[in-house]
């Protein structure tokens, strides 16, 4: 399968964006003082665990999508280099 240049760059950008967004989310989740993520004793709540699982899943999917985009960009560059 051959990806176009715009699709490859979009997938790569999506992977990077996913990491930036979810790292920020996890930092905010970890520092939550509202009582949602941690109970009064400081123990993680179900809210914390569910959202941490969502973040980990998004890291994995964002990485996979970004790698596909990176491979597409590299393949296009190799193809352009071999034409010269």
């Amino acid at each position: 399968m051959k990806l176009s240049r715009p699709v490859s760059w979009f997938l790569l950008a999506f992977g990077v964006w996913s990491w930036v967004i979810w790292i920020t989310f996890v930092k905010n989740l970890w520092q939550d003082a509202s009582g949602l993520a941690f109970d009064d004793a400081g123990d993680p709540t179900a809210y914390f665990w569910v959202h941490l699982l969502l973040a980990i899943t998004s890291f994995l999917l964002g990485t996979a999508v970004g790698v596909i985009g990176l491979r597409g960009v590299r393949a296009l560059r190799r193809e352009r280099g071999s034409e010269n």
Side-chain angles (χ1 to χ4, degrees):
M1 177 180 190
K2 184 177 177 183
L3 299 174
S4 68
R5 176 173 279 109
V7 170
S8 296
W9 279 107
F10 174 79
L11 293 175
L12 181 58
F14 182 85
V16 170
W17 177 82
S18 180
W19 271 83
V20 170
I21 293 301
W22 286 101
I23 285 174
T24 303
F25 180 82
V26 169
K27 284 181 186 177
N28 291 336
L29 180 65
W30 202 266
Q31 297 170 357
D32 178 58
S34 70
L36 287 173
F38 299 96
D39 62 16
D40 294 334
D43 296 325
T45 62
Y47 176 91
F48 174 84
W49 292 115
V50 167
H51 286 82
L52 184 62
L53 181 62
L54 286 171
I56 291 169
T57 302
S58 294
F59 284 138
L60 294 174
L61 292 174
T63 300
V65 168
V67 167
I68 292 168
L70 181 62
R71 290 178 69 187
V73 168
R74 285 183 175 172
L76 289 167
R77 287 187 178 174
R78 277 193 304 269
E79 187 178 289
R80 264 183 50 194
S82 66
E83 290 176 359
N84 294 335

